[in-house]
């Protein structure tokens, strides 16, 4: 059952401007590598070894900036708040786009990609955290899943724009315009930030209860599970009560346990950290970024040329956008872990079949074989986008306790950036040297990843962010979750249950206080 309001949806959709920013920046080089003007300006047409080295460096440095940006976001999120971090990341992302569009040599291009990676990685860490903290439990998959949907939508937009500028007769305009458009979404995010509230959970950690309640009361609508106002406690009030009590409990345990060192010393926190890192690593270990970033070259090897290679790439990410949206819709029913394992298995099988096609038909003129090669590439993206892409962001954003969520999400995304540094840096040389055999590495890694995920990973669908603590053996201050509550208050009373903290059938004392008019305590 959805408990979100228009205010909630508006907040989620504004935040997706950050998702669009990352998606565009992450994919723009894929299409510039297919533009004659870019290849000519940076002298990437004449010397294959030089071109491979430059392409690998440009991709690798973006991921290096991503690692730095991830931990910058983690620090700023807790110190200055989610909203201030968002605005800072938007400014850095705009700067990266300006430098890219104005690049005059390969060195400047590399520095610009570093700045760009730094800024947009702050957003890719922050946005799912922010979305998770303003989403109700039963719809969190749908709402946080929009992060993945709009990342890939940006990929598709980039592809179709790249296809259009390919036919421009102005060689400089082709790639400079494509890079300059990276500034549009972060600029829009800055302009719309006025309508984005601060995270209510971060406000609670700062002791700002009244401000937090004001936001929570707007974010969620009342549940319809009770027939009248006198015999119900609104969904927002129950959630706020749980949030307050959990923040109090976590603060106490955090202080008693030694503070930040617990991320390393406490087993349940270590477990969450490696699960988040592993989830993002497993997503990249499918070979998705290698397939995507060097897709133009892959199509050329299958016998396609000219603008058709960019058109196929744009179609590829358009299909991915639709698959991501389907994943976000079904995620709250199917579950995170099941979707992830289905996606990983499908990617492994699709990439195996793609290897067969490449081994058999690369350089050949067999149109049927080449068409099958393209077909299996599209099968690959359907499984990746429909099972892994949006789902991995949702899972990583929700498995961490509130007071370590920023650090946990940053560490998780480091799994993406560190693995892509390796996979993309060696990609051009590996593909030029051993060709399709490079993909065997990803097939083997994915087989191992599936087994680990099925065996170790707990399901989190439908649980509140605070309630997920129990999945890792940590204490939950107040158990609040639709499935944990009977359909009506009358059933609760007759079964001897009731909301924690109830006194003689009334709502918890703290909720009663907050529902009147919260004030600073």
């Amino acid at each position: 059952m959805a408990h979100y309001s228009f205010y909630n949806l508006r907040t989620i959709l504004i935040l997706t401007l950050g998702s669009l920013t990352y998606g565009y920046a992450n994919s723009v080089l894929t299409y510039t590598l297919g533009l004659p003007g870019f290849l000519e300006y940076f002298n990437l047409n004449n010397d294959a070894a030089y071109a491979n080295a430059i392409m690998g460096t440009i991709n690798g440095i973006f991921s290096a900036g991503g690692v730095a940006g991830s931990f910058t976001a983690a620090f700023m999120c807790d110190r200055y708040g989610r909203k201030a971090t968002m605005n800072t990341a938007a400014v850095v992302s705009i700067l990266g786009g300006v430098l890219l569009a104005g690049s005059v040599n390969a060195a400047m291009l590399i520095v610009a990609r570093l700045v760009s990676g730094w800024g947009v990685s702050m957003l890719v860490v922050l946005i799912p955290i922010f979305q998770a903290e303003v989403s109700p439990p039963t719809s969190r998959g749908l709402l946080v899943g929009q992060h993945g949907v709009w990342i890939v939508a940006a990929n598709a937009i980039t592809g179709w724009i790249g296809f259009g500028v390919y036919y421009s007769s102005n060689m400089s305009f082709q790639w400079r315009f494509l890079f300059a458009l990276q500034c549009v979404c972060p600029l829009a995010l800055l302009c719309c930030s006025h309508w984005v509230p601060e995270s209510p959970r971060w406000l609670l950690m700062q002791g700002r209860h009244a401000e937090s309640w004001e936001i929570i009361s707007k974010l969620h609508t009342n549940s319809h599970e009770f027939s009248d106002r006198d015999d119900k406690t609104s969904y927002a009030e129950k959630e706020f009560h749980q949030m307050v009590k959990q923040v109090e409990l976590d603060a106490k345990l955090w202080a008693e346990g030694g503070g930040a060192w617990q991320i390393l010393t406490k087993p349940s926190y270590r477990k969450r950290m490696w699960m988040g890192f592993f989830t993002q690593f497993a997503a990249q270990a499918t070979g998705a970024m290698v397939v995507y970033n060097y897709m133009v070259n892959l199509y050329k090897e299958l016998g396609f040329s000219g603008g058709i290679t960019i058109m196929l790439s744009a179609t590829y990410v358009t299909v991915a956008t639709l698959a991501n949206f389907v994943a976000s819709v079904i995620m709250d029913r199917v579950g995170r872990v099941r979707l992830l394992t289905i996606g990983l298995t499908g990617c492994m099988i699709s990439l195996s079949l793609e290897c067969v096609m490449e081994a058999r038909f690369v350089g050949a003129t067999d149109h049927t074989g080449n068409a099958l090669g393209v077909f299996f590439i599209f099968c690959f993206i359907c499984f990746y986008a429909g099972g892994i892409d949006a789902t991995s962001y949702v899972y990583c954003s929700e498995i961490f306790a509130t007071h370590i969520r920023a650090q946990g999400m940053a560490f998780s995304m480091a799994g993406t950036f560190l693995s892509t540094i390796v996979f993309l840096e060696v990609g051009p040389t590996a593909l030029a040297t051993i060709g399709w055999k490079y993909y065997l590495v990803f097939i083997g890694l994915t087989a191992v990843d599936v087994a680990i995920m099925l065996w170790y990973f707990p399901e989190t669908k439908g649980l509140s962010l605070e309630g997920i603590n129990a999945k890792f053996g940590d204490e939950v201050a107040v158990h609040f979750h639709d499935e944990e509550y009977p359909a009506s208050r009358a059933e609760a009373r007759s079964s001897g249950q009731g909301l924690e903290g109830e006194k003689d059938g009334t709502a918890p004392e703290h909720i009663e206080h907050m529902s009147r008019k919260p004030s600073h305590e």
Side-chain angles (χ1 to χ4, degrees):
M1 181 187 297
H3 300 280
Y4 51 82
S5 63
F6 172 77
Y7 182 72
N8 183 281
L9 292 174
R10 186 186 71 180
T11 301
I12 293 292
L13 291 177
I14 292 175
L15 290 173
T16 59
L17 288 168
S19 311
L20 283 163
T21 300
Y22 174 77
Y24 191 95
N26 191 46
S27 63
V28 67
L29 192 64
T30 297
Y31 301 99
T32 53
L33 290 176
L35 297 174
F38 179 80
L39 298 175
E40 180 183 334
Y41 188 90
F42 291 100
N43 196 29
L44 301 177
N45 281 323
N46 302 322
D47 187 337
Y50 171 76
N52 288 336
I54 290 295
M55 288 189 291
T57 300
I58 293 172
N59 275 318
I61 202 69
F62 180 84
S63 297
V67 174
S70 295
F71 289 104
T72 302
F75 168 75
M76 290 192 64
C77 273
D78 285 345
R79 185 71 175 269
Y80 302 108
R82 296 2 181 183
K83 190 170 178 177
T85 305
M86 178 186 76
N87 291 334
T88 302
V91 171
V92 178
S93 298
I94 293 170
L95 176 62
V98 169
L99 292 174
L100 283 168
S103 293
V104 296
N105 53 43
M108 183 174 178
L109 185 68
I110 291 169
V111 172
R113 283 287 282 178
L114 176 68
V115 175
S116 178
W118 195 307
V120 301
S121 68
M122 290 178 66
L123 288 171
V124 81
V125 168
L126 168 71
I127 297 304
I129 293 173
F130 216 150
Q131 289 175 326
E133 292 181 344
V134 298
S135 298
T138 52
S139 302
R140 197 168 53 244
L142 171 65
L143 298 178
V144 184
Q146 297 310 303
H147 181 56
V149 172
W150 289 98
I151 284 176
V152 183
N155 295 345
I157 292 168
T158 314
W160 290 113
I161 295 174
F163 177 64
V165 299
Y166 176 85
Y167 294 99
S168 172
S169 58
N170 187 325
M171 295 291 102
S172 180
F173 173 82
Q174 284 184 349
W175 61 274
R176 291 190 189 277
F177 177 74
L178 203 58
F179 279 138
L181 284 179
Q182 179 181 315
C183 302
V184 173
C185 287
L187 184 60
L189 183 61
L190 278 177
C191 293
C192 295
S193 65
H194 172 73
W195 293 288
V196 176
E198 182 55 86
S199 163
R201 287 175 167 87
W202 182 81
L203 289 172
L204 282 179
M205 289 194 295
Q206 310 309 306
R208 295 156 65 178
H209 290 63
E211 294 172 67
S212 178
W213 167 247
E214 183 179 355
I215 294 168
I216 281 290
S217 64
K218 293 179 181 178
L219 284 174
H220 308 321
T221 61
N222 284 350
S223 169
H224 300 293
E225 59 188 60
F226 304 116
S227 58
D228 59 80
R229 183 63 182 87
D230 293 335
D231 198 29
K232 74 177 179 185
T233 300
S234 77
Y235 190 97
E237 288 167 339
K238 290 189 292 183
E239 183 182 39
F240 186 75
H241 176 62
Q242 184 192 48
M243 288 165 53
V244 170
K245 294 302 181 183
Q246 191 67 44
V247 166
E248 292 173 354
L249 175 62
D250 288 343
K252 177 183 177 183
L253 295 177
W254 186 252
E256 292 175 351
W261 281 108
Q262 292 171 85
I263 294 175
L264 299 176
T265 60
K266 190 172 182 178
S268 63
Y269 289 176
R270 288 202 308 267
K271 182 178 181 180
R272 298 184 205 215
M273 288 289 175
W274 85 257
M275 280 186 172
F277 185 95
F278 181 86
T279 298
Q280 292 298 331
F281 168 80
Q284 300 311 313
T286 60
M289 288 303 294
V290 174
V291 171
Y292 181 60
N293 277 271
Y294 304 117
M295 189 184 303
V296 171
N297 291 335
L298 190 152
Y299 287 135
K300 288 178 180 178
E301 290 179 350
L302 288 172
F304 300 94
S305 61
I308 192 67
T309 60
I310 298 180
M311 186 186 74
L312 284 171
S313 298
T315 304
Y316 176 92
V317 286
T318 302
V319 171
T321 303
L322 297 174
N324 263 281
F325 182 74
V326 171
S328 71
V329 171
I330 66 174
M331 199 183 306
D332 289 311
R333 292 182 178 272
V334 176
R336 284 57 155 155
V337 175
R338 182 180 297 177
L339 265 185
L340 285 168
T341 52
I342 290 172
L344 288 169
T345 304
C347 285
M348 179 179 62
I349 294 171
S350 299
L351 195 58
S352 299
L353 294 171
E354 176 62 26
C355 283
V356 174
M357 294 301 105
E358 289 229 14
R360 175 67 179 81
F361 297 109
V362 163
T365 57
D366 188 312
H367 296 298
T368 301
N370 291 341
L372 282 172
V374 173
F375 172 75
F376 290 128
I377 293 173
F378 276 81
C379 286
F380 177 90
I381 194 55
C382 284
F383 280 108
Y384 182 81
I388 303 170
D389 207 357
T391 315
S392 64
Y393 292 115
V394 174
Y395 194 72
C396 290
S397 71
E398 62 189 9
I399 62 174
F400 300 102
T402 299
H403 58 289
I404 62 167
R405 184 165 295 118
Q407 296 93 327
M409 191 67 195
F411 190 69
S412 300
M413 291 309 302
T416 290
F417 294 116
L418 289 173
S419 55
T420 52
I421 287 173
V422 177
F423 296 149
L424 293 180
E425 178 71 27
V426 304
T429 303
L431 291 171
T433 305
I434 60 176
W436 61 269
K437 296 182 182 69
Y438 183 44
Y439 295 122
L440 297 179
V441 174
F442 304 114
I443 294 169
L445 286 173
T446 303
V448 175
D449 295 341
V450 170
I452 292 174
M453 195 165 287
L454 281 172
W455 186 261
Y456 288 107
F457 280 45
E459 183 52 65
T460 56
K461 71 169 182 175
L463 298 173
S464 66
L465 291 176
E466 288 72 23
I468 289 172
N469 286 336
K471 291 284 186 176
F472 296 91
D474 289 323
E475 187 175 351
V476 179
V478 177
H479 288 279
F480 159 50
H481 170 230
D482 280 353
E483 293 180 359
E484 295 173 1
Y485 286 96
S488 70
R489 184 63 59 99
E491 291 178 13
R493 289 171 179 161
S494 66
S495 64
Q497 301 175 19
L499 291 175
E500 183 173 327
E502 282 190 339
K503 298 181 180 180
D504 301 322
T506 62
E509 182 178 352
H510 187 81
I511 295 179
E512 288 290 338
H513 167 70
M514 298 312 300
S515 65
R516 292 194 295 271
K517 185 174 179 60
S519 60
H520 288 290
E521 298 178 341

